[in-house]
Amino acid sequence: MSEKVANKNLHQAKNNKKDEFYTQLSDIENELRHYKHHFKDKVVYCNCDDPRVSNFFHYFSYNFEHLGLKKLIATCFKSQNADLFSQNDSEKAVYLEYTGDKNGNSVPDPSEIGIKELKGDGDFRSQESIDLLKQADIVVTNPPFSLFREYVAQLVEYDKKFVIVGHQNAISYKEIFKLIRENKLWLGYGFKGGAGHFINQHYEDYATATDRKEGMIRVSGVHWFTNLDISKRHEDLILYKNYSAEEYPTYDNYNAINVDKTKDIPLDFSGVLGVPITFLDKYSPEQFEILGLSASAGYNEEVVGIPFLGEKDARPLINGKNTYARIFIKNKRL
């Protein structure tokens, strides 16, 4: 069975309230170590986790003093059983607040964590959850992939900083891409090999034998999305190749050249380049300008960003053949 099918299963499960996917503590630690300076004196909110079993809550509660946090808040969706895969069928949701170690043992004891019932179901869109969101400085969680657009829109509406997990397919959503182009959202450091293992008991894992982990499902194309400034965003991509018309053909329907691999971007071409979506992992706004994105057959001027010279198919074509989704960029240094 292909990874495409596995990813489809993940999306279906995210839509199904009885199934929950949890991020590994190691993946959280590997990413958040790059953001330490952002958390001092901040209120962190994890609003898509059962806080008693969430690794996000675990990470922030056990590193509360180390990070210098002001407060940690976490909410869950209708889950009151201390079971990682609770069925979300209890009458009320809860939220937890933690303001640091009180007895000097450097451990977030149950007696130090305030547990309060919510009147509603704990959905991130509920007024109760929004009221908690308003208190927060930074939101860190793994939201439902199927609700990613809506989730990010809420964070933007309330002007929140965030570090969240999402799938690379979200990059082609016009609402998400607009934020990327305007430098209001970008990719974090990412998962090793561009794939994440999520704790799971409901779906078969189709990973190869060498990459399979018991009790988990491997999903390719997952990323961390953030609007917190990180050092990788200011690192130039080292360019080493020169432009030639033979190696970099011009599209049939756009005045832009095709670049198959990010590492092969020519250092001496001042026009528009069509690069793979994976370019965003190496993108520095000081080196390049993002002009647009062509990912579907239908032409959307607002998204594509450069003049369309074709007739019907708006995907980047070379000799009538599709070259897959491309982000249009220009080198700001030329």
Side-chain angles (χ1 to χ4, degrees):
M1 193 71 70
S2 68
E3 282 188 359
K4 183 177 180 181
V5 174
N7 289 338
K8 182 179 178 183
N9 285 342
L10 179 67
H11 281 269
Q12 290 172 341
K14 283 283 188 176
N15 276 314
N16 191 336
K17 294 177 183 177
K18 74 179 182 180
D19 291 318
E20 299 168 359
F21 284 75
Y22 281 75
T23 312
Q24 292 186 91
L25 182 60
S26 59
D27 286 331
I28 295 170
E29 291 172 335
N30 286 339
E31 182 69 20
L32 295 187
R33 63 190 175 90
H34 300 285
Y35 302 77
K36 180 184 175 183
H37 63 287
H38 287 291
F39 291 115
K40 185 173 176 57
D41 296 323
K42 296 297 191 298
V43 176
V44 170
Y45 184 29
C46 307
N47 61 349
C48 291
D49 307 84
D50 185 325
R52 291 147 304 184
V53 290
S54 162
N55 281 323
F56 285 101
F57 188 82
H58 180 97
Y59 174 82
F60 284 112
S61 60
Y62 276 84
N63 288 280
F64 194 94
E65 282 74 26
H66 176 67
L67 295 170
L69 294 181
K70 181 178 180 181
K71 182 192 288 187
L72 172 62
I73 308 171
T75 56
C76 69
F77 181 81
K78 267 195 175 181
S79 178
Q80 295 206 331
N81 300 315
D83 170 11
L84 186 60
F85 293 95
S86 58
Q87 298 302 301
N88 293 327
D89 55 3
S90 57
E91 289 300 317
K92 293 183 184 297
V94 298
Y95 76 95
L96 273 61
E97 286 188 345
Y98 182 62
T99 55
D101 181 44
K102 301 294 188 297
N103 59 14
N105 67 353
S106 300
V107 174
D109 299 310
S111 61
E112 297 171 329
I113 301 172
I115 303 176
K116 303 178 183 180
E117 286 190 350
L118 292 167
K119 294 178 181 178
D121 60 11
D123 190 298
F124 71 85
R125 296 162 292 190
S126 69
Q127 189 57 52
E128 286 180 301
S129 294
I130 291 173
D131 289 342
L132 292 171
L133 175 66
K134 290 177 180 178
Q135 300 179 33
D137 298 302
I138 306 174
V139 177
V140 187
T141 192
N142 177 5
F145 288 4
S146 61
L147 299 175
F148 195 78
R149 271 180 275 222
E150 192 172 356
Y151 186 82
V152 172
Q154 184 189 79
L155 296 178
V156 172
E157 178 183 356
Y158 290 96
D159 193 25
K160 297 302 174 182
K161 297 298 184 181
F162 57 86
V163 187
I164 59 176
V165 178
H167 196 274
Q168 70 177 14
N169 290 345
I171 292 169
S172 63
Y173 301 161
K174 65 179 182 180
E175 301 89 346
I176 302 300
F177 182 74
K178 181 175 183 291
L179 295 172
I180 293 173
R181 181 166 55 188
E182 295 174 355
N183 288 309
K184 295 178 180 178
L185 180 155
W186 44 88
L187 298 187
Y189 285 83
F191 291 81
K192 183 178 180 181
H197 287 85
F198 296 90
I199 303 168
N200 166 263
Q201 290 181 347
H202 300 286
Y203 285 86
E204 183 179 350
D205 186 14
Y206 298 108
T208 60
T210 56
D211 204 18
R212 181 173 287 124
K213 294 186 178 181
E214 189 66 29
M216 296 186 181
I217 183 170
R218 181 186 186 275
V219 183
S220 62
V222 288
H223 288 284
W224 292 89
F225 292 79
T226 186
N227 60 353
L228 288 170
D229 196 31
I230 47 180
S231 60
K232 68 169 281 192
R233 233 179 137 241
H234 306 287
E235 297 171 356
D236 270 15
L237 175 65
I238 304 302
L239 308 178
Y240 68 98
K241 299 192 73 170
N242 293 107
Y243 166 75
S244 71
E246 293 76 21
E247 186 172 359
Y248 302 97
T250 300
Y251 297 117
D252 303 344
N253 47 356
Y254 295 104
N255 185 18
I257 64 168
N258 180 65
V259 181
D260 282 325
K261 297 179 180 179
T262 298
K263 67 180 181 65
D264 292 336
I265 292 174
L267 58 85
D268 56 351
F269 188 80
S270 61
V272 180
L273 308 106
V275 296
I277 285 179
T278 51
F279 158 81
L280 291 177
D281 195 45
K282 304 292 184 182
Y283 167 57
S284 165
E286 290 140 16
Q287 184 180 18
F288 294 101
E289 177 186 5
I290 295 177
L291 304 174
L293 166 72
S294 181
S296 65
Y299 178 65
N300 184 321
E301 182 178 3
E302 180 185 3
V303 175
V304 174
I306 64 174
F308 176 52
L309 309 177
E311 295 180 0
K312 292 182 180 180
D313 194 340
R315 296 174 298 177
L317 306 177
I318 297 177
N319 297 324
K321 295 183 179 180
N322 178 30
T323 57
Y324 306 107
R326 287 291 186 262
I327 293 176
F328 295 127
I329 65 169
K330 289 190 77 171
N331 190 329
K332 297 171 77 171
R333 302 271 167 76
L334 297 177

